[in-house]
Amino acid sequence: WYDALCINQDDPKEKAHQVALMGAIYSSSIQAIIWLGLASDNSGMGMDLVGNISKGDFEIQSLNAKLAEWKALYAIMSCSWWSRLWTIQEACLSKQAIV
């Protein structure tokens, strides 16, 4: 199920109805694949930092990441995906989210 294709984006009534169902849709999904957009030169560096932090690796080496790593993470967090209202559902309600 791909929301941008499965929902008529030009029909406000349909969009409202479908958005109301999204919590149930993502909760019942086995996996959500989240595409943030085209990769940049430093996307890998930013995702590596996210991976270290998400593992609970809060040791000094993770938190004292190089400025370039934090800038790469900032670029990832600036993607338009984060501006959508239902991103929390998409990322958190699925049994597995792959970014």
Side-chain angles (χ1 to χ4, degrees):
W1 186 79
Y2 177 48
D3 57 26
L5 293 177
C6 295
I7 301 172
N8 180 353
Q9 300 297 314
D10 296 324
D11 183 344
K13 187 175 178 181
E14 180 182 344
K15 277 176 64 173
H17 175 74
Q18 292 294 324
V19 168
L21 299 174
M22 285 182 153
I25 290 168
Y26 288 116
S27 292
S28 65
S29 72
I30 294 169
Q31 184 179 73
I33 298 172
I34 298 168
W35 187 66
L36 298 177
L38 296 174
S40 64
D41 292 339
N42 61 0
S43 296
M45 186 185 312
M47 291 303 288
D48 287 345
L49 180 58
V50 169
N52 288 336
I53 292 170
S54 69
K55 291 176 198 165
D57 184 7
F58 293 107
E59 300 295 324
I60 298 299
Q61 66 268 20
S62 292
L63 296 178
N64 286 338
K66 295 176 184 147
L67 181 58
E69 292 173 298
W70 290 110
K71 285 183 176 182
L73 179 56
Y74 177 80
I76 290 169
M77 300 305 290
S78 298
C79 293
S80 63
W81 182 83
W82 301 103
S83 66
R84 293 174 34 210
L85 294 175
W86 51 87
T87 57
I88 299 299
Q89 293 181 98
E90 198 170 329
C92 296
L93 295 180
S94 173
K95 290 169 187 61
Q96 179 183 29
I98 297 173
V99 180

